[in-house]
């Protein structure tokens, strides 16, 4: 029954990654310079300037991963033992590992049932006198309600960090760039993200004190302009010159990558809406400004859908995660109470399709058609 056509491109092959001559030249330029460490070359500093310019923020700090970027942000914010950080249970472990690394406590707030992003009311209810920061993830490229979260954080005098690892150039419904409402926003260049240099991270901020703190934590607490003095505790989270040079080429491509993903997503949505009978999936209700890291759908029984689609050659994930973050052994003791909407999404209602700027219009039409076939069973 399942028809075998050309497999859809994935992020683990050239068809599913947008690399070209610029990336190749970048690697050779760094090799030929013989300076591969970010502390001594020009590429990492240039990438930071280009990132700050892309987002219209005063400063950007590069690092070795998205997880490192979040760790640098929380360390610069002064998060430490006894502090609490409120965040979502539906995210990559990289969102919470930095909280643990700082000896602080993760407090999980429940998410909205329709898109898996933090529910601002639940965040507010989770805030205590020990809360130091809220980390808001823009899940799958769709906007968390940062306007309300900003207002809540301001009222409580705590920091708002945006985790934009899945939301390169995403916008909220008013067209505001995701990553410009938080005190700090963090990005990832890992293999699976919109753009990649293998691994890598970036933080952006308008606050010069936070920027200085992040820069120190990224490089052993060492401001190299003043000699060999270690001002603060810091790690070596430096981005290498090879990574930075490739990341610069990728950064120039991210507008086109996001544009293509949006174009394909719009075609997909229109095709799904035309299906008769309707297949029993709900498209994301907030599609304006979405960056489409993946295509999240709502269904009644995500296991059935994921198996049906996979059997037909359409990569689909039941629920994105196997379990909410707090159900991982590494987080025992950090769970203040269940997050029922997160659990329902993961166990039953959330179906995630891989999405890629390398999908052709035919690929998109085939995915929609397959959805209709699985729905008709
Ligand atoms: C990928 C990801 C991270 C971690 O980034 P790495 O570069 O893999 O360390 C953090 N948060 C979210 C939401 C992610 O998707």
């Amino acid at each position: 029954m399942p028809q075998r056509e050309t497999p859809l491109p994935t992020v683990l092959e050239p068809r599913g990654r947008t690399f070209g001559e610029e990336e190749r030249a970048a690697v050779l330029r760094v090799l030929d310079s013989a300076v591969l460490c970010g502390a001594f070359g020009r590429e990492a500093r240039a990438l930071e300037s280009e990132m700050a310019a892309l987002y219209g923020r005063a400063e950007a700090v590069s690092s070795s991963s998205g997880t490192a970027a979040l760790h640098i942000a929380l360390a610069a914010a002064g998060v430490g033992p006894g502090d609490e950080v409120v965040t979502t249970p539906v995210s990559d472990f990289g969102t919470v590992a930095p909280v643990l690394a700082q000896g602080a406590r993760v407090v999980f707030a429940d998410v909205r049932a329709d898109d898996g992003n933090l529910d601002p009311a639940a965040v507010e209810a989770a805030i205590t006198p020990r809360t130091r920061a809220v980390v808001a993830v823009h899940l799958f490229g769709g906007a968390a309600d940062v306007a309300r979260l900003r207002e809540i954080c301001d009222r409580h005098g705590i920091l708002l960090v945006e985790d934009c690892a899945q939301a390169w150039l995403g916008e909220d419904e008013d067209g505001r760039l995701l990553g410009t409402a938080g005190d700090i926003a963090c990005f990832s260049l890992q293999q699976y993200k919109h753009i990649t240099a293998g691994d890598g991270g970036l933080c952006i901020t308008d606050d010069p004190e936070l920027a200085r703190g992040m820069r120190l934590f990224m490089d052993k607490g060492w401001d190299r302009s003043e000699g060999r003095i270690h001002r603060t505790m810091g790690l070596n989270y430096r981005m290498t010159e090879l990574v930075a040079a490739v990341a610069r080429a990728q950064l120039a491509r991210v507008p086109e990558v996001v544009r293509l993903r949006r174009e394909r997503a719009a075609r997909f949505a229109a095709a799904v809406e035309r299906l008769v009978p309707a297949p029993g999936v709900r498209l994301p209700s907030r599609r304006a400004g979405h960056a489409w890291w993946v295509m999240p759908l709502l269904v009644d029984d995500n296991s059935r859908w994921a198996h049906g689609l996979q059997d037909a050659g359409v990569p689909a994930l039941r629920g994105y995660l196997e379990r909410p973050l707090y159900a991982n052994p590494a987080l025992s003791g950090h769970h203040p109470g269940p997050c029922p909407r997160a659990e329902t999404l993961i166990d039953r209602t959330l179906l995630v399709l891989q999405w890629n700027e390398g999908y052709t219009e035919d690929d998109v039409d085939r995915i929609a058609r397959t959805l209709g076939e699985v729905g008709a069973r």
Side-chain angles (χ1 to χ4, degrees):
M1 226 283 290
Q3 56 219 89
R4 288 289 162 202
E5 302 173 56
T6 315
L8 294 166
T10 77
V11 295
L12 297 179
E13 58 184 311
R15 289 188 305 147
R17 298 282 57 182
T18 307
F19 294 136
E21 278 313 309
E22 289 80 0
E23 284 79 359
R24 189 181 300 269
V27 169
L28 295 177
R29 177 172 78 236
V30 172
L31 269 182
D32 291 344
S33 79
V35 178
L36 276 60
C37 172
F40 309 108
R42 285 194 300 268
E43 304 287 346
R45 300 294 86 73
L47 172 67
E48 289 165 350
S49 304
E50 288 156 11
M51 179 68 180
L54 179 66
Y55 274 84
R57 301 201 78 176
E59 301 241 24
V61 178
S62 60
S63 57
S64 52
S65 71
T67 306
L70 284 151
H71 193 186
I72 287 165
L74 294 189
V79 171
D83 292 336
E84 295 175 352
V85 174
V86 179
T87 193
T88 167
V90 186
S91 187
D92 183 83
F93 189 72
T95 303
V96 294
V99 183
L100 307 186
Q102 287 303 99
R105 187 158 178 273
V106 186
V107 175
F108 290 102
D110 209 350
V111 298
R112 303 189 291 213
D114 62 343
D115 69 353
N117 273 312
L118 275 173
D119 170 8
V123 169
E124 176 131 47
I127 290 174
T128 75
R130 290 178 300 280
T131 309
R132 191 75 177 235
V134 171
V135 179
V137 176
H138 298 292
L139 191 65
F140 308 139
D145 189 348
V146 273
R148 272 190 71 196
L149 293 171
R150 178 74 272 173
E151 184 269 314
I152 291 168
C153 288
D154 286 346
R155 195 146 34 74
H156 291 270
I158 58 182
L159 219 77
L160 177 62
V161 175
E162 292 178 83
D163 179 344
C164 297
Q166 304 181 357
W168 279 97
L169 295 185
E171 295 166 10
D172 69 12
E173 55 200 11
D174 301 325
R176 179 177 178 151
L177 260 183
L178 305 182
T180 57
D183 299 280
I184 302 173
C186 301
F187 295 78
S188 166
L189 292 158
Q190 184 259 356
Q191 180 81 38
Y192 276 75
K193 312 302 180 178
H194 287 79
I195 54 171
T196 187
D199 271 309
L202 285 158
C203 300
I204 52 176
T205 186
D206 281 337
D207 182 324
E209 281 306 304
L210 287 174
R212 175 166 165 81
M214 292 195 289
R215 218 169 268 295
L216 286 173
F217 194 74
M218 177 265 274
D219 192 13
K220 305 177 188 172
W222 182 3
D223 175 351
R224 287 168 190 260
S225 69
E226 64 171 0
R228 197 153 187 165
I229 309 171
H230 301 277
R231 290 281 167 195
T232 57
M233 208 307 275
L235 295 171
N236 176 354
Y237 275 154
R238 293 188 304 260
M239 178 182 280
T240 72
E241 288 290 278
L242 283 167
V243 167
V246 172
R248 291 179 69 192
Q250 287 279 283
L251 198 67
R253 295 188 200 280
V254 71
E256 178 65 3
V257 165
V258 173
R259 187 189 70 75
L260 278 170
R261 284 174 180 247
R262 285 183 174 146
E263 198 176 281
R264 299 297 186 261
R267 185 182 179 93
F268 176 74
V272 170
E273 278 166 349
R274 275 197 308 271
L275 288 173
V276 180
V281 301
R282 262 203 293 146
L283 293 160
S285 49
R286 307 165 217 256
R287 298 204 285 277
H290 206 293
W292 304 111
W293 181 57
V294 293
M295 174 61 66
L297 301 172
L298 291 177
V299 295
D300 47 0
D301 174 358
N302 55 9
S303 292
R304 181 179 82 81
W305 281 91
H307 286 125
L309 288 168
Q310 268 154 14
D311 289 348
V314 174
L317 275 178
R318 185 208 77 123
Y320 167 54
L321 303 173
E322 289 176 19
R323 55 183 65 81
L325 285 175
Y326 53 73
N328 287 283
L331 281 150
S332 60
H334 289 260
H335 178 210
C339 296
R341 289 192 294 271
E343 296 189 12
T344 300
L345 280 164
I346 293 169
D347 295 340
R348 239 187 31 241
T349 57
L350 175 64
L351 176 73
V352 169
L353 308 184
Q354 306 295 348
W355 208 246
N356 196 296
E357 67 276 12
Y359 286 1
T360 63
E361 294 189 343
D362 284 349
D363 290 335
V364 169
D365 296 346
R366 172 155 68 93
I367 297 168
R369 204 164 56 241
T370 308
L371 212 59
E373 288 162 11
V374 174
R377 280 189 208 143

